[in-house]
Amino acid sequence: MDHAAEGGFGRVSLFFQQVLNGLTLGSVYSLVALGLTLVYGILHIPNFSHGALFMAGAYAAFFASTALGANYWVALVFAAVVTAGIAVLSERLVFSRLRDKPPLHDMIAAIGLLLLIEAIAQAIWGADFHRLREPYPGIWQWLRINAGLVMPIQRGIIIAGAVVLMIALHLFLTRTTTGATIIAMAQNREGASLVGIDLTRVSMITFAISGALAAVAAVLFVPISLIFPAMGNLVILKAFVIIILGGMGSVPGAILGGMVIGLVESFGAFYVSTDMKDVIAFAALVLILSLRPEGLFPGYAR
């Protein structure tokens, strides 16, 4: 193979490498945004404490792995259950009591929860960075030339895991009675109550799902990232970007918006600057909303 052909394959493989990196980030963002979207359908307010659930899931898995000696998959399930419980407690102890209050009260309470959970994590584990060991540290490789396309197995697990969870959530919302009640409650809380839907039960289930999604996203991601008390802050800001981009309350919009932001960040970091990737992501939001203010999927699944 001549040098020109090798150079061409190299450029193609670098391009697809950024696609894979973008899909990895997008998968994590989409899972976090899905939970945030479901809660928004119930509360109709932005739940700023959702980023703390992402962080809590990471620490729960770290605790299960280090203190309990659990393997990666057991730690993931443990984190999902613990974080779902934290989310349900926040709904029962805080948000349910503010149901008839002005939305500003919910927002302030959510910020308070975010700071409280972060403070608890820092008090227990300190401000140092921690890492969850990769369960499968190898790589997959295609195009076995000098500039071959490679993917760490953990990134493949992230993408595959996100796809499975998205499909499972879609089937749950569209094929089960409980999923139908969640959609009905998101569309019209008063109407759902009038036809006999248990609002308390649906709220608890929705918060549990949102917490579990945030935890799974975190546990999938932290083997290639770091665990620290404020790790959820930037993620939740991007999740808000995603649900605004996708259309508030839109499940497919949260998925597509997450993938768009992930790809924009990946290509921006590679072709422009790593330091500018977050700026590029927020600039993309401004550009897209200036062209389509209602988002990509306005009103879907509200």
Side-chain angles (χ1 to χ4, degrees):
M1 184 180 294
D2 60 30
H3 293 295
E6 285 187 9
F9 275 118
R11 286 189 294 271
V12 170
S13 66
L14 285 174
F15 174 84
F16 281 106
Q17 200 74 56
Q18 303 319 307
V19 171
L20 292 175
N21 292 340
L23 291 176
T24 301
L25 288 173
S27 296
V28 174
Y29 294 157
S30 294
L31 289 179
V32 178
L34 278 172
L36 188 62
T37 291
L38 290 175
V39 170
Y40 177 82
I42 301 300
L43 291 178
H44 296 291
I45 59 103
N47 180 19
F48 293 102
S49 66
H50 196 68
L53 298 179
F54 180 83
M55 176 270 296
Y59 274 110
F62 178 74
F63 170 79
S65 177
T66 56
L68 303 181
N71 67 33
Y72 177 79
W73 299 108
V74 173
L76 185 148
V77 173
F78 177 83
V81 172
V82 169
T83 311
I86 294 172
V88 171
L89 280 177
S90 70
E91 192 278 333
R92 288 289 82 208
L93 299 179
V94 179
F95 294 112
S96 66
R97 300 173 184 273
L98 299 174
R99 186 170 294 164
D100 299 321
K101 302 296 182 182
L104 181 62
H105 291 205
D106 293 288
M107 295 174 65
I108 293 172
I111 294 172
L113 273 174
L114 170 67
L115 297 176
L116 173 63
I117 296 172
E118 281 189 13
I120 292 173
Q122 184 160 336
I124 296 173
W125 286 284
D128 296 335
F129 294 104
H130 301 281
R131 184 183 291 276
L132 194 65
R133 187 170 59 86
E134 288 187 53
Y136 308 104
I139 62 171
W140 288 312
Q141 183 173 8
W142 300 273
L143 300 176
R144 293 181 178 277
I145 54 178
N146 290 339
L149 178 62
V150 299
M151 173 191 283
I153 293 176
Q154 185 64 33
R155 292 180 181 266
I157 292 173
I158 292 171
I159 296 171
V163 170
V164 169
L165 284 175
M166 290 170 191
I167 293 173
L169 180 63
H170 172 75
L171 294 175
F172 172 76
L173 292 175
T174 58
R175 303 290 179 86
T176 68
T177 302
T178 303
T181 60
I182 291 175
I183 294 176
M185 187 172 171
Q187 291 173 337
N188 189 324
R189 178 190 292 269
E190 290 74 19
S193 179
L194 289 174
V195 298
I197 293 176
D198 186 342
L199 302 186
T200 298
R201 176 176 174 272
V202 172
S203 293
M204 291 174 65
I205 292 173
T206 304
F207 270 80
I209 293 171
S210 73
L213 287 173
V216 171
V219 179
L220 289 173
F221 187 56
V222 289
I224 60 172
S225 182
L226 294 171
I227 303 172
F228 56 98
M231 63 181 290
N233 293 350
L234 186 57
V235 171
I236 195 59
L237 285 178
K238 291 178 181 177
F240 278 119
V241 167
I242 289 162
I243 66 171
I244 294 170
L245 176 63
M248 298 293 280
S250 166
V251 170
I255 295 171
L256 182 58
M259 295 302 174
V260 168
I261 294 300
L263 290 168
V264 167
E265 277 195 25
S266 177
F267 281 98
F270 184 76
Y271 290 107
V272 181
S273 169
T274 303
D275 296 332
M276 294 291 291
K277 66 183 180 70
D278 295 326
V279 175
I280 293 169
F282 289 113
L285 168 70
V286 174
L287 175 62
I288 293 173
L289 291 184
S290 67
L291 299 174
R292 192 175 175 83
E294 69 276 18
L296 299 176
F297 289 90
Y300 190 98
R302 269 196 191 153

